[in-house]
Amino acid sequence: MKIALSLLSLLPLAFAASLANAAQYYPADALSKVIQGPQRSVANKLRDKYRHPHATLEFFGLKPDMTVVELEPGGGWYTEILAPYLKDHGHLIEAAPPTDSKSQFMRKMAQNYRKKLEDNRSAYGDVKVVPFAAPEQMDLGEPNSADMVLTFRNAHDWKAEGTLKAIFQAAYKVLKPGGVFGVVAHRANPDTDPAVTAKKLHRLPEAYVINLAQEVGFKLDAVSRINANPADPRVMNIHMLPPSRAAARGFAPAVDHVIDSSKAKHGKEMKAFIDGIQPVFDHIGESDRMTLRFVKPKNAGG
């Protein structure tokens, strides 16, 4: 309960941060027009105040004539932006789960994602999809063929599955010398165990991600606080926060990382606590995230 009270003290900071995000300014350029375009769902646009797509993609150096690989696009939040932006002059390659995945959840996601691409072909153009299921399927294209590889909020899953380094190596291989590897990931507190935070909190320490990328061969080019959220204490599972809102959906395992549910005398007490704590997480907003730009050295081989 002490943690819950400490979270309540963060509400003024979270409120101020949300006001600042709501007032962000997008220049009148091609990327801005795509972000504001009708091809994006209303629900996804509502996340812009937390995910800052214009500032993030500008920071990574996205240009309309690039060949870009996006790793595990999920439901296609960034696809709605990348595909129309690259449609006329560039190429978008989506490394998505295969439709014949052993996992029923991943098969469903793969089918839904491909349907999204097909239903929006006029807006997206021809998006190439390559099957991606580490460690068996990680062929992202010809070596030295991509200008940019992007990953958004995936790194913790790959760490938990033991494939993070191999995926970073695959990104390094497909990039041209001088190419950019852009990483957005949920941030854990410094000096925490990445093996633990990846599984329990779905977060990673920033230094760990940087060191691993450098170990693979990347050079850290720049770090941004575009997607930082100082109101997030980084001690809870990220699914407690928007947009997942796990507490409101009664997902007790996520609550276990905030309180010891075994101390609840019975289910009613636990439910009352969950109902009371979700507004705190809602005011915090989406998770604190690192935004890192790596480059493949210009003198690097494949």
Side-chain angles (χ1 to χ4, degrees), residues 196-266:
V196 174
T197 60
K199 291 184 178 181
K200 290 190 174 183
L201 305 182
H202 292 201
R203 302 172 183 265
L204 289 171
E206 184 170 324
Y208 171 78
V209 177
I210 292 173
N211 290 338
L212 183 64
Q214 291 175 329
E215 182 180 331
V216 166
F218 285 111
K219 176 184 176 183
L220 179 64
D221 191 51
V223 177
S224 173
R225 292 191 59 79
I226 293 167
N227 296 299
N229 180 1
D232 176 12
R234 303 181 293 210
V235 296
M236 79 288 290
N237 185 303
I238 61 99
H239 291 294
M240 297 291 287
L241 301 171
S244 296
R245 305 183 71 247
R249 295 186 290 108
F251 184 53
V255 181
D256 287 338
H257 299 307
V258 182
I259 63 167
D260 182 0
S261 61
S262 65
K263 293 180 180 178
K265 294 180 181 178
H266 47 71

Side-chain angles (χ1 to χ4, degrees), residues 50-51 153 184-187 227-228 286-291:
Y50 299 120
R51 298 182 178 182
R153 306 176 308 280
V184 176
H186 303 290
R187 184 160 33 215
N227 296 299
E286 293 197 12
S287 68
D288 179 48
R289 292 162 187 160
M290 66 189 86
T291 305

Side-chain angles (χ1 to χ4, degrees), residues 135-185:
E136 294 85 5
Q137 294 174 289
M138 292 193 296
D139 185 0
L140 302 177
E142 291 296 321
N144 307 314
S145 63
D147 299 293
M148 182 174 287
V149 176
L150 300 173
T151 172
F152 302 98
R153 306 176 308 280
N154 293 317
H156 63 278
D157 286 331
W158 299 333
K159 171 61 180 176
E161 295 163 0
T163 59
L164 183 59
K165 184 174 182 179
I167 290 172
F168 277 24
Q169 290 172 328
Y172 186 91
K173 181 179 180 181
V174 76
L175 278 170
K176 299 174 182 177
V180 172
F181 183 35
V183 177
V184 176

Side-chain angles (χ1 to χ4, degrees), residues 60-141:
F60 288 147
L62 181 70
K63 303 298 180 185
D65 60 348
M66 284 182 165
T67 294
V68 178
V69 180
E70 183 186 10
L71 304 178
E72 288 199 356
W77 198 92
Y78 261 100
T79 303
E80 291 182 3
I81 299 171
L82 294 169
Y85 183 73
L86 297 167
K87 174 185 172 184
D88 294 331
H89 306 289
H91 300 281
L92 177 60
I93 300 167
E94 294 288 359
T99 55
D100 61 350
S101 172
K102 296 177 182 178
S103 163
Q104 181 178 356
F105 174 81
M106 298 303 283
R107 286 199 306 273
K108 183 67 174 177
M109 180 183 292
Q111 293 164 4
N112 289 342
Y113 182 71
R114 284 160 177 78
K115 185 177 187 303
K116 182 184 183 81
L117 295 181
E118 187 60 33
D119 291 347
N120 293 278
R121 183 176 291 274
S122 61
Y124 293 174
D126 294 322
V127 177
K128 181 178 180 181
V129 180
V130 296
F132 184 77
E136 294 85 5
Q137 294 174 289
M138 292 193 296
D139 185 0
L140 302 177

